[in-house]
Each structure stands twice: as structure tokens, then as C-alpha cells.
Amino acid sequence: MSLDPGCAAPRQTLTVLEARRTILDAVAPVGGHECVALRASLGRPLARDVIAPCNVPAHDNSAMDGYAVRAEDLPADGEVSLQVVGTAYAGRGFSGIVGRGQAVRIMTGGVMPMGADSVVVQEVVRVDGERITVPSGLRRGQNVRRAGEDLAEGGVAIPRGKRMGPAELGLAASLGLAEVAVTRRLRVAFFSTGDELASIGRPLAPGEVYDSNRYTLHGALARLGYELIDMGVVPDRPDELEAAFLTAAGSADVVLTTGGVSVGEADFIRDLMQRLGEVGFWKIDIKPGRPMAFGRIGKAWMFGLPGNPVAVMVTFYQFVQDALLKLSGVDPLPERPMMPAVCVAPVRKLAGRCEFLRGRLFAEDGVWKVKPASAQGSGVLRSLSEANCFIVIDENRGDVKAGETVPVQLFEGLI
């Protein structure tokens, strides 16, 4: 789908897969990078490959505590007695050469002495003063970690687009790197719309509700490490909404709104997007979250999420998060954790739309089972807090009977 200025009218209602594909095909990394201290890179995508400037490990070394020996000294059958001529510690090696009939006591991580090619573990050796008796069966090169076995000098240690995690921090540190190049932080502006919304910290007036959506979005966005612009609550007035859109689009890469995208008389988001920019789509065959607008205003990508709290989180994690990751330079995008589970209660569902139900996954008698939340309304945020997975029922499936298997999407790794 093209989102060039003057594009045709938005497409009709999309399936979940079509909506995801439409979004991900449209967006591209924003570009730009900066060099940061290694610890400051946690969670951020690499802007370029990290190339290993040296071998890791730098030398052949022992993988076990034991004795460095020459494999040719060990018989195929029986035992052999060897003379211990020194010790190699990690960080303090043995400076001599292991000759015929000799061995060197070696610790884990100790550099392999010249002349030795194998390590026999200490548990199988009999020690008698300065001599050891070694049984047969040792293979040449056994218990030895070769130089460059982990990372070879000149090779790609960490590829561009990978988010720096704890393992990547350690990997870069093992190469002696004090800083790495990461993509610039994505700038995301977000606001809620609605005359009924009140800010936390003050009593509610008649007809008001507290604005929770900005806090769930803040949590979801902050965990991704983006630069956030919280624009608060914008009333359902076209002039104020237009000003908020233009301000947000002028200062951010992405604009997120909640509320105002359905067909109510005071729902202005879609019309404003069409007038100020472009709309790619605004309806998805999904529950909850059917009214969701995607498009752009100026150079900023725009996501108009529903107003109901659960629908906000469902649409964010099913559509927005991967788009943000791609925009920020993550490549490849992470897979969505899914697994089958036995549904312990019946679920009523109409075919023709994909539903994301809140559920509680648990193990019973070695079988993974899932219990749907008792309250599935799109405004019942508590049920999402108490759940640990989405039960995903695709558009081709109808009612689910108790005991049938359903796919579940784990919150761990997603939310």
C-alpha cells in the first residue's frame, strides 16, 4: 500500500494479518546513529555490525582443571606415567615446553603450554608426588578451547539491527569494546482524546473517568527505550486536536493517540488524519480494537488507537510495537511467543474476526492449560493485569468448547 500524498481512499476492513503486513511494508528505519558507552547501549539496536578486533579466546586454553599432555604419549590401551614439570594458571601460564613423557598441571582458562595438545581432567588421574598415572581413552584436543573458537578476528560478532541485551553487552566487553554505534532513539509523541478524561491526582467530576491509557502507553513505550513526548489529554474539539496533531507530527517520528477513531459524533481523529495527511486503514477484523487508524501526517507515522483500555493494549502489542521496532532499526523483528494449550472453559465467538482473549496459562498434570478471564470487556483493565497470555482465536474459528486446544500468546517477551 502506498501512502504517498494524494493516495486513494482507504481500503475496507482488513484482517489482522493484512493490517500487520500493511503497516510493516509501509514503515522503514528512521536512520541516524550515535556512539554510546557500552552499558548505555542496553536495549538499543546496533547501527552497524560489531566486528571482532581479536580472537576470543585469544589463545588455546584449558576448558577444565587437569593436566596438559601430549596425546602421542598416551597409549590406546592401559595406563601411562608422566612427569609433572610445572603449573599453568589462568592469566599466568607455563613458560616451558612440554616434552615427551611430561605433563603440566593446568587450571580452567590456563593457556595451553607449548608442546601440549590435550587436557586430561584431574578426576581420572592418580597422583604420586611429581608423577601422574593417566588412563587410556583420551582423544587428541580433548578439553581444549581453541583460539577464536567463540569469535574469530575479523568476523561479525554482533550483526547490525540486533538489540543489545545482557549477552551482547558481555560479548562486546569480551572484545574490549568501550562503546558501540546504535541507532538514534525513536521519538514518539502520544496523547489521549476525550472530554470525559480527567488527570490523576484530582477528584472526578460527574461523568468523568481517569485517563489510564497514557500510563499504559508510557509503560509500553518506556520499556522500549524511546524518547517520549507526553502531550496529555486533548479535548474532543477539532481545533485543539488539529493543533495537537501538527505539534506532535512536527516533533516526533511517530504519533500515538487513544480514542476518537470510531464513528461517534465526537470522533474526529480519522477525519483529521485524512485532511492533514493520509489514512492507510481504519478498521480491522479484530476484537477488541476494531476501530484503529494507521497513516501519516507530514513525516510522522500515525496510529489512532481505540479508547477502551484493553483495546489500546491489544492493538499496541499486535500492530504498533513491531512497527516501532522496525522504525528504530531492529532487524530481524522478534518472533511472537505462541504455544498450544487446552482451554478449560467454553468460549463463545463469532467467525469472521480474530479475537484476543485474556487468559491465565498454567500447568496441570504435565499439560499446559489456559483459563479465559471471566470478564472480557474491552474496558476491564484489571483482567489484563491478572492474565499472563492472550488466547488467540483466528477469524475462521467459531465457538471453542472446553477441552479444545487453542493457541496462546505469552505476555512474557511481549508485554
Side-chain angles (χ1 to χ4, degrees):
M1 179 194 67
S2 172
L3 287 178
D4 293 331
C7 65
R11 293 178 59 188
Q12 60 183 355
T13 305
L14 304 184
T15 67
V16 167
L17 291 179
E18 287 173 337
R20 285 179 181 156
R21 190 179 305 116
T22 296
I23 294 170
L24 294 177
D25 285 350
V27 302
V30 295
H33 72 275
E34 60 179 330
C35 289
V36 300
L38 183 56
R39 288 179 175 174
S41 70
L42 183 64
R44 300 184 64 178
L46 286 173
R48 60 174 72 106
D49 292 341
V50 171
I51 304 299
C54 58
N55 284 328
V56 179
H59 309 279
D60 291 355
N61 67 92
S62 176
M64 306 287 287
D65 289 343
Y67 294 86
V69 300
R70 295 155 30 110
E72 64 188 54
D73 285 340
L74 306 182
D77 299 302
E79 298 179 333
V80 67
S81 177
L82 302 175
Q83 178 72 34
V84 179
V85 295
T87 302
Y89 298 95
R92 183 157 48 93
F94 174 73
S95 58
I97 299 176
V98 179
R100 178 176 298 177
Q102 295 180 337
V104 168
R105 179 83 166 102
I106 193 167
M107 308 304 173
T108 302
V111 174
M112 288 294 292
M114 291 182 62
D117 57 20
S118 309
V119 173
V120 56
V121 297
Q122 61 187 12
E123 289 82 3
V124 301
V125 170
R126 296 199 311 272
V127 180
D128 183 11
E130 298 300 318
R131 299 194 70 82
I132 60 172
T133 300
V134 181
S136 62
L138 182 72
R139 300 187 310 275
R140 186 181 300 274
Q142 187 169 313
N143 301 317
V144 176
R145 294 184 296 211
R146 298 299 180 188
E149 183 177 290
D150 188 4
L151 295 170
E153 181 179 356
V156 176
I158 314 174
R160 176 188 61 83
K162 189 173 183 63
R163 294 180 75 192
M164 293 292 287
E168 287 70 34
L169 291 186
L171 198 56
S174 75
L175 296 170
L177 301 178
E179 61 179 29
V180 291
V182 295
T183 57
R184 73 164 175 86
R185 291 188 187 276
L186 200 66
R187 292 187 293 272
V188 182
F190 61 104
F191 58 88
S192 300
T193 67
D195 294 333
E196 77 282 10
L197 299 179
S199 297
I200 61 175
R202 69 169 179 82
L204 291 174
E208 288 186 332
V209 295
Y210 288 121
D211 174 27
S212 63
N213 288 336
R214 279 176 36 248
Y215 292 87
T216 54
L217 282 181
H218 171 86
L221 294 166
R223 284 170 46 152
L224 295 173
Y226 300 144
E227 182 181 330
L228 305 184
I229 306 170
D230 185 346
M231 299 179 61
V233 176
V234 180
D236 282 325
R237 288 190 282 277
D239 56 339
E240 294 192 44
L241 284 169
E242 180 174 344
F245 269 130
L246 294 175
T247 298
S251 57
D253 304 299
V254 178
V255 180
L256 291 179
T257 69
T258 60
V261 290
S262 63
V263 293
E265 292 183 3
D267 294 332
F268 303 114
I269 299 297
R270 180 171 59 93
D271 291 340
L272 279 170
M273 287 178 63
Q274 286 179 314
R275 184 161 60 82
L276 300 176
E278 311 154 59
V279 179
F281 63 79
W282 67 283
K283 283 184 180 180
I284 307 172
D285 284 326
I286 186 175
K287 181 182 179 181
R290 178 178 172 84
M292 177 191 145
F294 166 67
R296 66 186 310 163
I297 295 177
K299 295 182 178 180
W301 294 102
M302 166 72 194
F303 295 89
L305 307 185
N308 286 318
V310 175
V312 168
M313 296 196 73
V314 169
T315 51
F316 179 87
Y317 285 112
Q318 301 308 319
F319 305 107
V320 181
Q321 179 167 273
D322 279 355
L324 298 179
L325 292 174
K326 184 174 180 180
L327 284 164
S328 68
V330 174
D331 183 28
L333 294 175
E335 296 290 336
R336 295 174 176 273
M338 295 277 283
M339 64 178 291
V342 175
C343 194
V344 300
V347 174
R348 297 190 62 184
K349 177 188 175 291
L350 295 175
R353 66 187 179 193
C354 183
E355 295 196 11
F356 289 81
L357 308 175
R358 286 134 279 168
R360 186 76 193 174
L361 184 69
F362 63 97
E364 186 175 81
D365 298 327
V367 177
W368 285 106
K369 299 181 178 181
V370 65
K371 180 180 180 180
S374 57
Q376 291 290 338
S378 59
V380 186
L381 194 57
R382 176 179 56 81
S383 64
L384 192 56
S385 175
E386 295 173 350
N388 62 4
C389 67
F390 287 125
I391 303 170
V392 185
I393 308 178
D394 68 37
E395 57 269 17
N396 298 316
R397 192 167 180 177
D399 293 344
V400 175
K401 298 177 182 179
E404 290 187 332
T405 298
V406 293
V408 301
Q409 188 180 70
L410 304 178
F411 286 176
E412 185 65 32
L414 176 70
I415 295 182

